[in-house]
Amino acid sequence: MLPEMGPIHWLLDPLQYDFMLRSLAVAVMVGIICAVVGSYLMVQRLALLGDAISHSVLPGLALAFWLGGNIFLGAFIAGVLSTVLIAWIHRQSSIKEDAAMGIVFSAFFALGITLITVIQKENKIDLNHFLFGNILGVTVADVRDTAIIAALVLGVVVLIYKELLFYSFDPMGARASGLPVGLLNSGLMVLIALTVVASMKVVGVILVLSLLITPGATAYLLVPRLHQVMILGCGIGVFASLSGLYLSYYFNLPSGAAIVLVVSALFSLAFLFSPSQGVISRYRRRP
Amino acid sequence: MPPLVLHHLSVNYQDLRALRNINLTIHPGQLVGIFGPNGAGKSTLIKAMLGLIPRVTGRVTWGEADLSAHLERIAYLPQRSQIDWHFPATAWDVVMMGRVKPTGWLRPFAASSRRLAQAALERVGMAELAHRPIGALSGGQQQRVFLARALAQEAEIFCFDEPLVGVDQATTGIIFKVFRDLAAAGKMVLVINHDLGESITNFDQLILLNQELIAAGPRQWVLSPEHMRRAYGGEVGFWGHVA
């Protein structure tokens, strides 16, 4: 499969294709916002919520496609709706939050699969593209929409960083000091839904959780402060997204799967060799 | 500073009554301890007072207005178990959280906030460890960092939920010194405690709870055998030496 050529050609060759340039642009932006938003999910122990929102976007995406609307918007609405529903079930009954997440996201996901299967009979859309990502599917409009979402997400996080830090570390203390924690929490849900929506073309909804959680978790093993976790996480996320796309290009793999394999490999390295927390580093420090 | 007044405060936990009709006036300038057996509703009282959990009935007023209109004047320290000590933050980051609300939205921290945080860390003897991750500190050091956060906030009302759990002797001394200084400066200092040993003599006033208010007032008076029997039931015997 790999042609005989030097590493420079290996890197530059795919860049002659417009579709690859579009995918790489989206991949960089997605790598950044996933790491930033995912760091909040990780420190608040809400990894499952990331999974819930990402699976829940599917019916909105399908409906929007069917009705000829913007699929990003449809997916976003479904994602936010799922968080509202999860919170509502949790509040109105003694069902625990993780159970409510499991119930809601599998129901939304099943509805999405059903809708897409029905739609597929009339129109040609390939379900796999949304589930696992497809680098051929990224249009100019997708690049534009992703850029808008990325600017929005990063702008909000920068502007309310200190409030989000206080809230995610000590929600009770933040609330007691007068911060609107309900609003901060809703804002965070919206940011997660936006990030998932931006990621679905390149990574796909099933595997986006990996790009949300793993870069931050990897960085968490290496640096001690949240903003450092986010910045290093961005680097890890971008590296994984880009190299995943190259693997996808050369080996004809679904891009989502390739990206996830790279980021998981990076996590394994940090897990084993992190100077402070690595399993092997700790072992070697022993007398 | 006006006193804090609780009017007919009742709270349910699930469907059970956790606090029954609490009427209480708390004055500033004194170190107030909140005592009672496990499940007496000590944390619930503070949380309901600050509006962190819903009340069934009751109001809390501070001067003319509801306390909820003055939240930025309150520093609250949650119980240790409520905090994820592996969170990626340094001691400095935690103390600066006390400056988030006073700084306001969309503004970076001012130099004056940094000076307040630095002074607060020095006051609790933690300035040298400011850049350590909180997870790398001992229990006592972690509590001191939280105390510094409360100080940096420049609050008027301080509520501490079991600040002495899991802390060393040196930290206990530092914490009580800060509490007494705050009270002497005219602040309101409320401390939940359940250690009825030596440390109880540090408090000027006690609030004794067991789902209802048993007694509130000067320490000696609250610790009467009659009050203790009503709060703790049969365990009264070992109380004699305390008061």
Side-chain angles (χ1 to χ4, degrees):
Chain A
M1 191 66 208
L2 267 181
E4 286 290 321
M5 54 187 182
I8 296 294
H9 281 102
W10 197 85
L11 278 177
L12 294 182
D13 187 51
L15 301 181
Q16 60 190 299
Y17 300 105
D18 286 345
F19 78 85
M20 197 61 186
L21 287 174
R22 291 195 297 270
S23 294
L24 289 169
V26 169
V28 168
M29 295 187 278
V30 162
I32 291 172
I33 57 175
C34 278
V36 169
V37 171
S39 295
Y40 286 115
L41 286 178
M42 178 189 64
V43 296
Q44 292 193 275
R45 306 176 194 187
L46 287 176
L48 184 62
L49 184 67
D51 209 21
I53 295 179
S54 57
H55 283 72
S56 299
V57 301
L58 209 56
L61 180 156
L63 274 180
F65 182 85
W66 202 7
L67 302 171
N70 184 324
I71 60 165
F72 283 102
L73 188 63
F76 172 71
I77 292 171
V80 170
L81 197 63
S82 74
T83 66
V84 173
L85 206 57
I86 289 165
W88 189 63
I89 291 176
H90 174 55
R91 261 203 314 276
Q92 295 297 320
S93 66
S94 50
I95 302 279
K96 297 282 179 286
E97 201 165 15
D98 56 341
M101 284 180 203
I103 293 164
V104 170
F105 93 68
S106 45
F108 271 55
F109 192 60
L111 181 63
I113 300 265
T114 308
L115 285 170
I116 288 182
T117 311
V118 170
I119 297 166
Q120 264 176 338
K121 288 177 183 149
E122 304 165 22
N123 300 291
K124 197 81 194 112
I125 59 167
D126 191 343
L127 184 58
N128 281 343
H129 294 176
F130 295 112
L131 297 186
F132 302 111
N134 175 12
I135 51 173
L136 295 171
V138 178
T139 65
V140 176
D142 292 339
V143 178
R144 183 202 60 205
D145 291 352
T146 309
I148 293 171
I149 292 175
L152 201 67
V153 169
L154 289 180
V156 169
V157 169
V158 168
L159 287 176
I160 62 171
Y161 178 79
K162 65 182 192 304
E163 284 82 5
L164 282 177
L165 178 66
F166 193 178
Y167 164 66
S168 51
F169 176 63
D170 177 9
M172 281 287 192
R175 186 163 170 194
S177 83
L179 285 180
V181 296
L183 199 64
L184 287 172
N185 185 56
S186 310
L188 210 49
M189 299 300 123
V190 168
L191 292 181
I192 298 163
L194 281 171
T195 302
V196 165
V197 165
S199 313
M200 64 194 181
K201 277 284 179 81
V202 170
V203 202
V205 298
I206 303 228
L207 294 173
V208 64
L209 184 68
S210 171
L211 209 47
L212 282 169
I213 300 299
T214 316
T218 308
Y220 172 74
L221 294 175
L222 301 168
V223 291
R225 302 173 75 187
L226 184 64
H227 68 273
Q228 296 168 337
V229 167
M230 287 178 173
I231 292 167
L232 183 58
C234 285
I236 294 167
V238 168
F239 177 81
S241 303
L242 290 178
S243 37
L245 282 193
Y246 275 90
L247 290 173
S248 170
Y249 174 86
Y250 281 111
F251 298 101
N252 196 23
L253 300 169
S255 48
I259 291 170
V260 171
L261 287 178
V262 174
V263 78
S264 306
L266 293 175
F267 173 80
S268 308
L269 287 177
F271 179 70
L272 295 175
F273 299 110
S274 155
S276 55
Q277 304 189 47
V279 173
I280 290 182
S281 324
R282 246 187 353 234
Y283 178 75
R284 287 176 55 149
R285 266 205 304 277
R286 263 183 226 160
Chain B
M1 183 163 71
L4 197 64
V5 187
L6 282 62
H7 314 262
H8 306 290
L9 194 73
S10 291
V11 179
N12 278 5
Y13 180 71
Q14 285 162 358
D15 285 328
L16 299 169
R17 190 51 54 100
L19 284 177
R20 211 170 297 129
N21 194 28
I22 308 284
N23 290 288
L24 193 57
T25 301
I26 304 167
H27 292 279
Q30 284 174 318
L31 185 46
V32 181
I34 302 177
F35 284 78
N38 283 333
K42 302 183 292 286
S43 296
T44 305
L45 178 71
I46 295 267
K47 286 181 186 165
M49 212 175 78
L50 303 183
L52 300 176
I53 53 173
R55 309 166 191 156
V56 179
T57 62
R59 290 180 64 206
V60 179
T61 54
W62 193 42
E64 298 294 301
D66 245 56
L67 182 62
S68 55
H70 297 289
L71 289 179
E72 74 286 349
R73 317 301 297 277
I74 298 168
Y76 166 70
L77 241 85
Q79 272 178 45
R80 286 188 58 77
S81 57
Q82 304 263 311
I83 298 294
D84 171 17
W85 295 104
H86 295 292
F87 192 97
T90 59
W92 176 259
D93 293 332
V94 173
V95 177
M96 287 305 281
M97 288 173 194
R99 300 304 305 161
V100 168
K101 185 65 185 171
T103 299
W105 296 96
L106 310 183
R107 289 162 201 263
F109 291 120
S112 58
S113 284
R114 271 188 274 278
R115 279 196 297 274
L116 282 168
Q118 183 64 31
L121 278 164
E122 281 165 12
R123 199 163 158 191
V124 300
M126 287 294 296
E128 283 99 72
L129 301 178
H131 299 290
R132 286 266 182 94
I134 47 158
L137 300 174
S138 73
Q141 290 168 337
Q142 290 169 341
Q143 281 314 86
R144 282 192 262 164
V145 168
F146 265 66
L147 181 58
R149 183 181 87 182
L151 292 173
Q153 201 179 327
E154 294 197 297
E156 296 291 331
I157 300 172
F158 293 82
C159 302
F160 300 99
D161 197 343
E162 308 233 0
L164 302 170
V165 166
V167 308
D168 50 281
Q169 204 66 48
T171 298
T172 304
I174 290 170
I175 288 181
F176 270 117
K177 165 133 185 20
V178 173
F179 285 172
R180 275 192 299 268
D181 291 347
L182 286 171
K187 313 287 185 193
M188 200 176 293
V189 188
L190 289 170
V191 182
I192 294 177
N193 208 348
H194 65 222
D195 169 32
L196 290 156
E198 282 290 298
S199 67
I200 204 166
T201 55
N202 283 289
F203 295 99
D204 308 314
Q205 302 269 318
L206 294 183
I207 294 169
L208 189 57
L209 274 184
N210 193 359
Q211 301 191 338
E212 55 191 8
L213 185 65
I214 308 284
R219 172 168 37 107
Q220 301 281 353
W221 181 75
V222 170
L223 290 176
S224 76
E226 164 64 11
H227 291 147
M228 296 309 283
R229 191 187 52 73
R230 277 174 57 205
Y232 289 85
E235 304 166 45
V236 144
F238 73 104
W239 281 103
H241 75 279
V242 172

